[in-house]
Amino acid sequence: MKMDIPEQVRVARAQYYEQINRFSMTPLWEVLGRLVPKSPTPLVQPVLWKYAELREQVMLAGRLISAEEAERRVLILENPGLRGNSSVTQSLYAGLQLIMPGEVAPAHRHTQSALRLVLDGEGAYTAVDGERTTMRRGDFIITPAWTWHDHGNLGKQPVVWLDGLDIPLVRFFDAGFAEPGHHLSQEVNRPEGDALARYGSNMVPVDFMQATNAPTKVFVYPYEQSRAALEAIARGPVDPHHGYKQRFVNPATGASPMPTMAAFIQWLPKGFETLPYRSTDATVYVCLEGEGEVYVDDQLLQFQENDVFVVPSWSSLQMKSRRRSILFSYSDRPAQQALGLWRDERMVCPGG
Ligand code: 1HN
């Protein structure tokens, strides 16, 4: 209820606010509506980065600084509503990383969890906990919290991938720790493919038991496998809000691969138009194949291969594929679910 406030009262209140300000106090009633909104009021904006522009700029960085000097040669994708915060959404970070032939990105570990989506080039590897995996386009690779990781490029082409980390979330909790490795590259003590064979083949080692929210030991989800699965699924019935959409899991538990971030991959048939959908997890999308357009509330974004776009919390999302499209996405959904906060809504009619 809005009431007219007499001048005398307004002055008295203003004086009082100044007085309590000196004691580091402030009146709740002036901010209550903003503190407890009826529904999310995100600062995060819908935004799309064209890969052609991203690539051009990150290649320029390749001439200015080495991966070793930079530690990680990355251009951060900052949401226009959150400039200066290294954030793509309130809880998540996104960056475009480049590694040139012959370079290494030195070993380290930190409490932030990271995921990678390989976009461009061949011949690089990521090492996680003593095993290297060759990075191929579309591969979804994870480095869970506090695992040693380093990258290298043994090939002849520049390699570019998207990094997704929970940096703002960890910063929010003031729970960030990091440690440099003892060597530039960590020692390799398992053959390539070992973790995927042991933990990602509908089996686990005989005595293996895992805590429900522990990260998976599978650290690469090869695109070849995800794509083949989508192709098979796309012969069956389609979800009107999502097309054919799958959630990546820790195969030992069914939970998300890491406790703070979920990752998804979806297939939209040519010409398919989704019904609008919204959820409280602001989401970063990457187009792996195809092209199309999305409406984020009233804003139209057109995507092509390797373009990156952001859908804010509780914004209605409607997608239309011009060609058969494959989209990867990630969000903080498991963190929200663990805290009992996550909501979603399948909307019935466009704009409804
Ligand atoms: C990191 O460790 C990587 O390992 C990439 O490639 C981006 C951004 C902030 C902090 C650590 C990587 C990062 C990062």
Side-chain angles (χ1 to χ4, degrees), residues 107-110 127-130 143-150 179-182 186:
H108 66 194
R109 64 176 177 177
H110 37 72
V128 179
D129 268 350
T143 56
W146 211 240
T147 54
W148 293 108
H149 56 283
D150 53 85
E179 226 177 53
H182 304 293
Q186 67 183 287

Side-chain angles (χ1 to χ4, degrees), residues 65-335:
I65 191 165
S66 70
E68 199 178 326
E69 191 194 346
E71 189 159 345
R72 297 294 187 265
R73 188 200 288 111
V74 179
L75 295 184
I76 302 173
L77 307 187
E78 281 199 332
N79 192 285
L82 303 170
R83 289 309 307 266
N85 291 315
S86 304
S87 302
V88 72
T89 69
Q90 279 292 6
S91 59
L92 299 176
Y93 158 107
L96 210 69
Q97 183 158 175
L98 167 67
I99 188 160
M100 299 298 279
E103 285 189 328
V104 294
H108 66 194
R109 64 176 177 177
H110 37 72
T111 50
Q112 292 83 1
S113 302
L115 63 81
R116 336 227 170 252
L117 185 72
V118 185
L119 296 179
D120 205 349
E122 277 176 21
Y125 66 83
T126 283
V128 179
D129 268 350
E131 182 180 332
R132 284 182 181 179
T133 189
T134 304
M135 302 177 94
R136 299 184 179 86
R137 185 166 185 280
D139 286 356
F140 163 50
I141 296 165
I142 64 166
T143 56
W146 211 240
T147 54
W148 293 108
H149 56 283
D150 53 85
H151 321 296
N153 187 342
L154 305 171
K156 296 190 169 70
Q157 305 168 358
V159 175
V160 178
W161 65 82
L162 183 94
D163 288 314
L165 287 93
D166 55 5
I167 286 170
L169 191 69
V170 174
R171 182 171 58 197
F172 176 80
F173 287 118
D174 276 336
F177 294 88
E179 226 177 53
H182 304 293
H183 304 284
L184 211 52
S185 305
Q186 67 183 287
E187 196 187 320
V188 175
N189 50 37
R190 290 182 286 130
E192 176 155 7
D194 186 73
L196 189 59
R198 283 179 203 267
Y199 299 94
S201 310
N202 302 319
M203 299 179 282
V204 291
V206 58
D207 288 327
F208 179 74
M209 290 289 272
Q210 191 160 45
T212 38
N213 69 344
T216 175
K217 303 230 176 225
V218 172
F219 68 99
V220 57
Y221 297 75
Y223 187 48
E224 196 182 6
Q225 290 181 18
S226 320
R227 197 187 185 290
L230 284 174
E231 193 162 15
I233 293 162
R235 293 182 203 119
V238 70
D239 181 312
H241 293 83
H242 297 306
Y244 302 94
K245 186 167 184 177
Q246 296 284 106
R247 176 170 66 85
F248 289 98
V249 295
N250 175 344
T253 62
S256 62
M258 300 182 287
T260 51
M261 290 186 285
F264 312 88
I265 192 162
Q266 74 198 105
W267 171 296
L268 303 172
K270 179 183 163 80
F272 188 76
E273 201 172 336
T274 66
L275 289 178
Y277 171 84
R278 61 182 175 179
S279 60
T280 52
D281 51 328
T283 304
V284 181
Y285 285 84
V286 185
C287 171
L288 280 171
E289 291 183 35
E291 59 180 322
E293 57 200 42
V294 293
Y295 269 99
V296 182
D297 293 328
D298 295 331
Q299 195 164 327
L300 177 68
L301 305 173
Q302 296 195 292
F303 65 79
Q304 293 173 302
E305 255 180 43
N306 286 3
D307 291 352
V308 180
F309 62 92
V310 174
V311 180
S313 167
W314 216 235
S315 286
S316 127
L317 170 67
Q318 219 182 342
M319 307 178 136
K320 186 174 179 182
S321 55
R322 229 179 265 288
R323 292 191 287 130
R324 193 237 308 116
S325 299
I326 300 179
L327 298 172
F328 171 88
S329 53
Y330 70 99
S331 79
D332 64 9
R333 186 175 304 183

